[in-house]
Amino acid sequence: MHVWTHHCWRFPLPPRHRFPIEKYGLLADRVAAGGHEVREADAADWAELAAVHDCGLLSRIREGCLTVREEKGLGLPWSPELVERGRRSVGGTIAAARHALEHDVAMNLGGGTHHAGHDFARGYCLFNDVAVALAGLRRDGAAARALIVDCDVHQGDGTAQIYAEDPRTFTLSLHGARNYPFSRVPSDLDVDIASGTGDARYLRALREALDFALDRARPEFAFYLAGADPWEGDRLGRLALSKAGLRARDELVLDRLLEAGAPVCVVLAGGYADDVRDTVDIHAGTAAVVAERTDALTPGQGVS
Ligand SMILES: [Zn+2]
């Protein structure tokens, strides 16, 4: 299995900030210790970002001229390092998506920044990595019909906004009904999950949502946002999935997408456990599920 990381590109944060910057390096170490090749992501270039994002927003990000309101909504202090890291996070998803086209499944140990829309950056999300990667695939003539399965506990409002008028891209978001964002942009299918929902009911809802989405989307390519924040111990989530339940979720999503003939690019999205090692466990579980599917496939003779 090949995976991409950008954890060496750090940025300054105030003390006790909630953004879990440590999880990326710890996860990359865990995956590398499992014998997998972890590659350094290149930075997405500005032209690639401009395929999705408003030029005014991009120039404010590039020059450090976000308004006070924009920076507050982003929740991260602007710095040149933040911008560099954001571009590398997108670059990892671009590389993983290209790899998945040939090898059926690949993963970026970052990305999933789904609150970034065409003309807004918010909720710790500077750029929408999945949308930029999908634009790149389409520029190369691939992935005409795409499905985005977003299982982060927060609704994928930025992704929904970017694809609101695009009939080729089906956006599915399963999220805590009472979680951020509180004003939403509708996805093609939004599944509001009640606070306190555990494994069995969550997995049943996911199965039904996948049936509906796959039937409508008939995807040639898929992205999967495997957020760790539906976990029962997450500080920002309101659901109650166990680690085993999250692993069953990952297996269900990947198997359904691959059976449908769609290569899958997996990205991390959120995870805010009190102890970052719990978040890393959950993401490492996702990587293990990806590795099992990669190793089971002979290159060039995959299920697609
Ligand atoms: Zn989240």
Side-chain angles (χ1 to χ4, degrees):
M1 176 177 70
H2 296 306
V3 300
W4 281 263
T5 185
H6 58 283
H7 70 275
C8 295
W9 300 84
R10 298 173 68 94
F11 61 94
L13 277 170
R16 292 180 298 283
H17 193 283
R18 283 195 297 202
F19 185 79
I21 195 160
E22 301 301 335
K23 82 173 182 181
Y24 299 90
L26 293 169
L27 177 62
D29 290 347
R30 278 274 288 273
V31 172
H36 301 292
E37 188 180 337
V38 179
R39 299 180 179 184
E40 187 74 38
D42 292 328
D45 65 42
W46 290 96
E48 290 174 296
L49 298 170
V52 168
H53 293 292
D54 172 69
C55 288
L57 174 69
L58 289 180
S59 71
R60 290 195 300 285
I61 290 173
R62 191 173 185 170
E63 307 298 331
C65 300
L66 290 171
T67 65
V68 171
R69 192 191 163 108
E70 281 176 322
E71 196 167 342
K72 191 158 178 279
L74 179 60
L76 299 170
W78 184 91
S79 63
E81 294 89 347
L82 177 75
V83 177
E84 179 71 22
R85 180 189 167 95
R87 291 171 59 207
R88 286 178 185 272
S89 169
V90 177
T93 301
I94 292 171
R98 287 205 185 114
H99 192 83
L101 259 189
E102 299 205 354
H103 301 272
D104 291 310
V105 56
M107 184 169 183
N108 181 18
L109 303 179
T113 40
H114 58 166
H115 299 307
H118 168 68
D119 54 355
F120 55 82
R122 64 187 182 207
Y124 302 161
C125 299
L126 201 54
F127 309 115
N128 194 305
D129 59 309
V130 161
V132 175
L134 180 54
L137 294 181
R138 286 177 170 163
R139 206 168 42 239
D140 297 341
R145 289 193 312 277
L147 170 61
I148 299 170
V149 178
D150 187 339
C151 288
D152 189 272
V153 83
H154 304 101
Q155 196 247 359
D157 55 342
T159 309
Q161 187 237 17
I162 289 166
Y163 295 112
E165 305 294 332
D166 181 356
R168 303 167 303 167
T169 309
F170 193 99
T171 53
L172 162 62
S173 178
L174 252 89
H175 45 259
R178 294 187 57 229
N179 274 114
Y180 176 94
F182 303 108
S183 74
R184 293 179 177 177
V185 182
S187 312
D188 290 305
L189 177 59
D190 281 309
V191 182
D192 281 331
I193 308 283
S195 299
T197 297
D199 296 343
R201 276 173 53 204
Y202 180 94
L203 291 169
R204 199 178 319 135
L206 175 59
R207 211 170 281 122
E208 286 173 13
L210 287 169
D211 283 343
F212 183 88
L214 281 165
D215 185 51
R216 297 294 168 101
R218 292 176 294 110
E220 295 161 310
F221 195 90
F223 289 88
Y224 171 40
L225 285 75
D229 46 15
W231 183 55
E232 56 198 344
D234 195 89
R235 277 184 295 169
L236 301 190
R238 291 174 176 271
L239 303 186
L241 273 74
S242 67
K243 289 182 182 176
L246 287 162
R247 193 157 173 144
R249 172 199 70 169
D250 296 336
E251 291 172 346
L252 174 61
V253 172
L254 277 168
D255 288 342
R256 290 298 311 276
L257 294 174
L258 291 169
E259 280 161 21
V264 190
C265 173
V266 182
V267 296
L268 289 194
Y272 309 92
D274 279 324
D275 185 337
V276 72
R277 288 171 296 186
D278 286 316
T279 301
V280 171
D281 274 351
I282 295 163
H283 288 314
T286 304
V289 169
V290 171
E292 284 164 14
R293 270 92 194 132
T294 311
D295 298 342
L297 300 168
T298 308
Q301 297 178 346
V303 291
S304 61

